[in-house]
Amino acid sequence: MDLAAEADDLVFECNDGIGRITFNRPQARNAFTFAMYERLAAICEQANGDPSIKVLVLRGAGDKAFASGTDINQFRGFKTPQDAIDYENRIDRVLTTLEACRVPTIAAINGFCTGGGAGIAAACDLRIGTASAKIGFPIARTLGNCLSMSNVSRLTALIGAARVKDLIFTARLVDAAKAATVGLLGEVVADLAALDKRADEVARLVAGHAPLTLNATKQAVARLQRRLTRDEGEDLILMCYTSQDFREGLDAFLNKRAPQWRGQ
């Protein structure tokens, strides 16, 4: 069956129990609009209620990126502190919905996987990448914002506190070999063709296994991991998003210049 997305920016189809989600903005390195985040959450909710869907595979269109985070233009309309809170609440809600999805989720990563894109990958159960994959959260040198509290919790559980700080502080993108070493990737394949083949193989393997066992395992792991609440992190979000530095980072990014940070 063909379950078309509401918009061409995010395409969803399902065949033989395997749901395939494609981030379809290759011209923008598959950067996410707010509508794409909502569509991703809606597909996860659909999978929760549709027993014919056994597994979800997430990938980016084109050969440059899995997803490069939130489209910077989405931030241009931020006028009030509540805009920042609402944005991070949205990210928390969408990625938690992805993480808690009833069915196993597989991120097939090629090229750039950064910011919100890396957050999406971290929320998936399995991550397979090509040798050209580059993963990271370069926000300390781009916009000067911060990760949502759920993202910090999830990423720390995945790779450990020291590595989270290393990734954020250095603002570097790690290559596939390093990503596999630290736990950001579970498997590395040669190229995009190999990625498509391997992701399909793993999806078919997982789709044939006992769904209650898989679901129970997902829920058990989730219960072991405490998540920071939105209230616990609201002061940090406001500190970053309402700062002069955030405005400077946004202007610098859009005008392709180096930001001048002031810590204000």
Side-chain angles (χ1 to χ4, degrees):
M1 63 181 163
D2 181 14
L3 302 176
E6 295 178 357
D8 291 338
D9 287 347
L10 194 151
V11 178
F12 178 52
E13 61 180 13
C14 186
N15 291 286
D16 299 326
I18 301 174
R20 293 178 175 87
I21 301 170
T22 302
F23 313 140
N24 192 35
R25 299 185 73 215
Q27 75 283 1
R29 289 187 174 178
N30 299 318
F32 261 61
T33 62
F34 292 162
M36 289 171 69
Y37 280 117
E38 295 301 334
R39 179 60 179 150
L40 177 59
I43 291 168
C44 292
E45 295 288 4
Q46 180 178 342
N48 287 340
D50 185 349
S52 71
I53 300 175
K54 306 297 185 183
V55 61
L56 293 176
V57 179
L58 287 68
R59 68 184 302 276
D63 60 0
K64 302 297 183 185
F66 172 75
S68 57
T70 302
D71 190 319
I72 298 301
N73 289 305
Q74 303 290 290
F75 295 120
R76 301 180 81 167
F78 280 25
K79 303 296 183 184
T80 69
Q82 191 60 44
D83 290 330
I85 297 298
D86 290 345
Y87 168 71
E88 287 297 348
N89 283 348
R90 183 199 300 267
I91 298 300
D92 277 351
R93 173 175 52 78
V94 170
L95 296 194
T96 297
T97 300
L98 172 61
E99 183 180 40
C101 185
R102 176 186 62 84
V103 302
T105 53
I106 302 170
I109 302 167
N110 180 65
F112 290 97
C113 176
T114 57
I120 289 170
C124 289
D125 299 307
L126 303 174
R127 286 163 297 282
I128 306 169
T130 64
S132 67
K134 295 184 181 299
I135 304 175
F137 298 86
I139 52 178
R141 65 172 168 80
T142 55
L143 294 185
N145 57 332
C146 63
L147 299 184
S148 71
M149 297 307 100
S150 288
N151 262 333
V152 172
S153 299
R154 185 178 300 109
L155 197 58
T156 300
L158 183 63
I159 64 174
R163 289 189 175 118
V164 171
K165 287 187 281 188
D166 177 62
L167 274 180
I168 302 296
F169 290 5
T170 64
R172 65 194 175 105
L173 304 184
V174 298
D175 61 23
K178 181 67 173 179
T181 299
V182 303
L184 287 170
L185 286 177
E187 186 175 348
V188 178
V189 297
D191 53 28
L192 186 55
L195 177 65
D196 289 339
K197 179 181 179 182
R198 183 57 180 156
D200 187 69
E201 289 174 348
V202 174
R204 293 184 184 283
L205 174 69
V206 171
H209 290 162
L212 294 183
T213 299
L214 305 182
N215 192 6
T217 301
K218 289 188 66 162
Q219 291 197 45
V221 171
R223 293 178 189 185
L224 287 170
Q225 299 172 356
R226 177 181 179 265
R227 292 285 184 265
L228 293 174
T229 67
R230 295 171 183 173
D231 290 343
E232 288 176 293
E234 192 169 287
D235 60 323
L236 304 179
I237 293 169
L238 291 175
M239 178 179 69
C240 290
Y241 280 92
T242 62
S243 67
Q244 294 178 29
D245 273 357
F246 179 70
R247 289 295 170 187
E248 165 65 10
L250 182 60
D251 184 76
F253 188 95
L254 293 172
N255 289 288
K256 296 181 171 57
R257 62 175 177 83
Q260 301 297 313
W261 307 119
R262 299 182 181 277
Q264 299 176 346

